[in-house]
Amino acid sequence: MLKATLLAFTLLAATALSATAAQPAADPLAPAGHWTGATAGRAATPPMGWNSWNAFRTDVDEAKVMGTAKVLVDSGLRDLGYIYVNIDDGWWLKRRTSDGRMQVRTAIFPSAKVGGSETSSFRPFTDKLHSMGLKAGIYTDIGGNACSQAYDLHSPNLPEGTIAERQIGLHGHVQQDIKLYFADWGFDYIKVDACGINVYGADRPFVKQHKYNAYPPLIDQASINRTNIPAVRALYQQVADALAASNPDGDYVYSICAWGAANVRAWGKDVGNLWRTSGDITPQWSRMLHTFDSASTRALYAGPGHWNDPDMLFVGHGDFDVHHLTEARTHFSLWAMIDAPLIIGYDLRNAPQALMDIWSNKDIVRLNQDSGGHQAVMAYDSDDVQIFVKTLSDSGTKAVLLLNRGSGPAEITLTPAQLKMVGDVALTDLWSKKTMMLTGGERTFTLQPRESRVFEAKGKRQLADGMYLSEIPGAINIARDGVIVPLPDPIVHRMSNPWGATTNSGERPSYGGWGGARADATPYDQALTVDGKVFASGIGILANSRMEVKAAGFRHFEAKVGVDDSTRNLKDKVVFQVFGDGHLLAQATAAYGQAAQTLSADLANVKTVELVARSEAPTSDLPLVVTWGDAALRE
Ligand code: GLA
């Protein structure tokens, strides 16, 4: 361990020396000295509410939205947290050419008819929602045109007029539109889609046929290499900046809807409050698994203020309708456990009580809204059954979900170790409210096809005086995950194409993020292992990474570090460093095949711990996998 004063002296000397030399490039792994995770917007817990798309597609109107809003209030759903009432695609009429101001389709939103035929305002609409104790959400596109203009060509509510009038997306109007939607109209939430920068290439027949302005695609959903990631990110950042400028009170939510493309699963957390991790959900079991998987391995990228978004709920429709309550409960529970936004997509004016009972299960909602923001981590994984464990912020309690993904009954055995507990554990089923004990080391449950069981678990923790870092992903910011070249993630369930036949070769992996940081697994989904020793707890990440951890009053950090046995780069050495508020506290160098070394550091008064793993003298770009085994904050 190095003394902070000695380090400060070394740093001073280094600064003095470098003053005379040419400015070196900034060290991307240098400790920040403080938490740099994004804090903009208002999403301390995952947003909850309703959105018109899964219920009505573009056939949305004011009566439907207000009818839904009334049910949210009258049923008590609002008081449970479902406060956002979000309009999706279909609200717009045209962009006024004289000054670029957007016009509402007042034929379907009559309250917006104010100030003559050429002006319209959503202010009466948002005022009404606000007066009901709700918040209002609007929808736009990052490009010039929207998804409906490409995919819903028979929609009754497509934008009208000249080419310019039908350019209803943000392209060229970011400041103007964001100011209009937030400062003038009073919206609180915005979903920004990406069709305008994806499907409006000049070669598309519908672009010619409908006379749209062509936009050379920045996103190729099937190819990360053919996607201009920095350009996509920069466009979404412009919107983030405009939102901050138009919302001095900071009360807004920014939803990035780039469907897992453009490597958004890695940078979404730094730009928005939620970001879609996959293509659209449909009301099919297999598709639900697909969008769920796209978020369920990404616990370390979510936390208070920023959430993985596997898309809106489809409870009430298709495989999740009132005749399939097992599937509906599972879908809802899965979203709750992984801290997904809980956005209802059903016509609530006609909702059967059995569905209302799902959205209003207070205990399941409570898991999702827990202030710790710790997305559930996989304790057991297979294509057939999975176990997810979520730490609740009282730190003694866990929620655990057992999932049968398959089409036959499955036996699932739960152990205290999977909960990072020892001895007897008290379980409360959060659907039936029945209590039971997990004694004698395990308990086996038989689950029907597509069934899940969700328990709250109380027991003696493995770490009586602390938390493993993999138990508290919401307290970690992956500042750099070491991924050099974004790769498609192959462990997302691939459904047969829900939009067409099986005439092409099938759904290929396409969401960037493979090789990203993982809790209790390596970046490539192996068990954390250093020189043959397996760690059930820990963080797996690539070298040339930096993590920030909120010390939260803990006084000690400890980990067993080393190059993971699964690394493809067997040659390069790794320097592991632990910083406390920017000061180096501990350091070790490790090579492949070397036993894990203990790193421990005193955290007196430290607010932010930073964990840096740096390849010492890189000779290769092959992924260098490192393990922070048993990494923990202790008393
Ligand atoms: C895209 C989005 C959906 C929805 C539609 C609207 O497909 O991913 O969530 O907003 O556009 O056209």
Side-chain angles (χ1 to χ4, degrees), residues 438-624:
L438 198 172
T439 45
E442 60 184 52
R443 187 176 178 119
T444 300
F445 300 86
T446 303
L447 270 69
Q448 294 313 305
R450 301 176 173 181
E451 191 189 4
S452 60
R453 300 285 299 271
V454 189
F455 302 104
E456 190 160 331
K458 285 185 198 292
K460 194 161 170 267
R461 300 172 34 71
Q462 270 178 7
L463 270 192
D465 68 340
M467 303 295 288
Y468 289 118
L469 295 194
S470 60
E471 294 184 277
I472 49 168
I476 298 174
N477 178 40
I478 302 296
R480 291 184 79 90
D481 63 11
V483 174
I484 304 172
V485 178
L487 290 174
D489 183 345
I491 57 170
V492 173
H493 175 85
R494 292 181 290 150
M495 67 294 152
S496 60
N497 187 354
W499 288 282
T502 54
T503 47
N504 60 18
S505 53
E507 199 84 6
R508 307 286 193 195
S510 62
Y511 310 137
W514 185 233
R518 290 280 302 271
D520 294 346
T522 74
Y524 301 110
D525 204 34
Q526 305 288 305
L528 298 169
T529 315
V530 179
D531 191 32
K533 180 175 163 47
V534 176
F535 292 93
S537 295
I539 305 291
I541 195 167
L542 297 180
N544 299 319
S545 56
R546 183 172 69 82
M547 295 183 261
E548 298 163 1
V549 184
K550 289 183 178 158
F554 284 105
R555 283 179 303 191
H556 201 72
F557 170 84
E558 208 172 272
K560 299 202 172 56
V561 299
V563 174
D564 194 274
D565 288 3
S566 68
T567 191
R568 284 169 63 205
N569 180 340
L570 307 182
K571 285 194 299 191
D572 291 333
K573 287 187 178 160
V574 178
V575 181
F576 292 84
Q577 293 175 313
V578 180
F579 295 88
D581 294 341
H583 302 289
L584 184 62
L585 302 177
Q587 173 166 318
T589 304
Y592 169 72
Q594 202 178 325
Q597 301 170 55
T598 300
L599 270 187
S600 78
D602 236 333
L603 300 182
N605 298 321
V606 164
K607 285 201 172 59
T608 307
V609 181
E610 288 173 78
L611 305 177
V612 173
R614 186 195 291 267
S615 56
E616 197 179 38
T619 61
S620 157
D621 273 351
L622 281 177
L624 182 50

Side-chain angles (χ1 to χ4, degrees), residues 53-54 57-58 88-89 139 146-148 151-152 191 193 195 257 259 276 279-280 311-312:
W53 182 251
N54 286 349
R57 293 186 73 92
T58 53
D88 209 276
D89 206 340
Y139 169 89
C147 295
S148 57
Y151 295 116
D152 281 70
K191 170 174 166 185
D193 219 322
C195 285
C257 184
W259 333 289
R276 284 273 300 279
D280 288 11
D311 206 356
M312 302 173 288

